[in-house]
Amino acid sequence: MRPARLSVVTAVATAAALAAVTGCTEKSSAKGGDRVVEVTATDDECEVSRKEFPAGHVELAIANKGSKVTEVYLLFPDDRVVTERENIGPGTTQHVTAEVKPGDYRIACKPGMKGKGIRQTVRATGGTATGGTAERDPRLDKAVADYRAYVQRQAGETLPLAETFAKAVEDGDLEAAKKAYAPSRIGWERTEPVAESFGDIDPKVDVREDGLEDGQDPATDWTGWHRLEKALWQEGKIGAREKQLAGRLITDLKDWRERVGKADITPTSMANGAKELLDEVATGKVTGEEERYSHTDLVDFKANVEGAQKSYELLKPVARENDPALVRDLDRQFAALNALLDKYRADRTSYDFTSYDKVGKADRKELSDAVNALAEPLSKLAAAVVK
């Protein structure tokens, strides 16, 4: 899920930690100045250096000059997400590369990481979606096709698991619902950036209570997995409201399953999505905030890593050719993180992970360090793919 709005102190600390591992001091990687859009975010403005740029590969060079943690989105006119970068701390800069077709877009800065943000209309002109007249490397077309099939498969496999969870809730079977909860989320967590790209599905199914927008009432507006998680583990009850929410969860997940096959997927969105999954781990799973009632964070953690690694492996043939040193580093860091996660489960094929409330401070620090070590080179994958 998208990170919940944090307190000022926590948000700044989290953003600072992420900035240290996301290439925030990285030099511009886009080819040609007309393909770089400088975005200057403050607490009440969102300025862009150009409002027109060639279609193809574009880089957002983001500088947060405000006092609040911010996030920046490149959006389609209907608010679907092309790319995003979250948790950008005050005084830090970040770079994100995206692939865009000719047409109108919106750049949105969200100081405080809430609301619809301050927006600028921009346009990609002429050219092609691959940055010029040349055809895209067929290996990248295959990577996109294979990833689309993977996302659709994950959605298809998630639905029956979620239906098992929902039925247990509707039957009032507390223990069966608890047992079915974490497995029902694995496919979602593996492919979450695609779901988030639609804008409206993630807030329905995966928002935490502190991620609700201002003015929303938890009693009536909070829906999805985490609302049910709280009922099952903290409240220890299943009432009429929870049974209703179980049915709504299935309706929303069916909507997700129908939409994923039509998602806009590009090689850069795959690479950026892999990075976003690591950010999800850093801001929610390592901290224990994501599954604060069930403590099943390590299941989500593993699924996020698996999803990131799937994107990477599909893009790896091109990335290896363009930046072999980066690929060696990513191979090493993925192996190290997966080996560390294996310490917390019964066997290497099981999702029976240690309850996260049993993981001590020193072990959480070790997990955090391994995530950071992977996130830094992973932030360079999109640029490597488009060299």
Side-chain angles (χ1 to χ4, degrees), residues 208-209 212-213 215-224 227 230 235 237 240-242 244-245 248:
R208 304 195 299 260
E209 185 171 9
L212 295 172
E213 294 292 336
Q216 287 189 302
D217 184 352
T220 56
D221 300 322
W222 187 19
T223 61
R227 171 62 185 88
K230 182 177 182 179
E235 298 168 0
K237 68 178 183 65
R241 174 63 174 165
E242 287 73 36
Q244 178 188 42
L245 289 176
R248 177 169 174 176

Side-chain angles (χ1 to χ4, degrees), residues 133-155:
T133 58
E135 293 296 322
R136 183 162 64 198
D137 187 323
R139 293 175 296 177
L140 293 179
D141 288 330
K142 184 178 187 305
V144 169
D146 288 350
Y147 185 68
R148 188 182 300 279
Y150 171 75
V151 170
Q152 290 178 290
R153 186 167 62 253
Q154 293 303 312

Side-chain angles (χ1 to χ4, degrees), residues 49 59 62 70 75 110 120 124 149 165 248 256 262 278 304 340 360:
S49 61
E59 180 180 291
I62 306 163
T70 194
L75 303 166
K110 298 186 180 182
Q120 294 277 10
F165 169 64
R248 177 169 174 176
W256 165 57
K262 304 171 186 176
L278 264 290
N304 284 162
L340 184 57

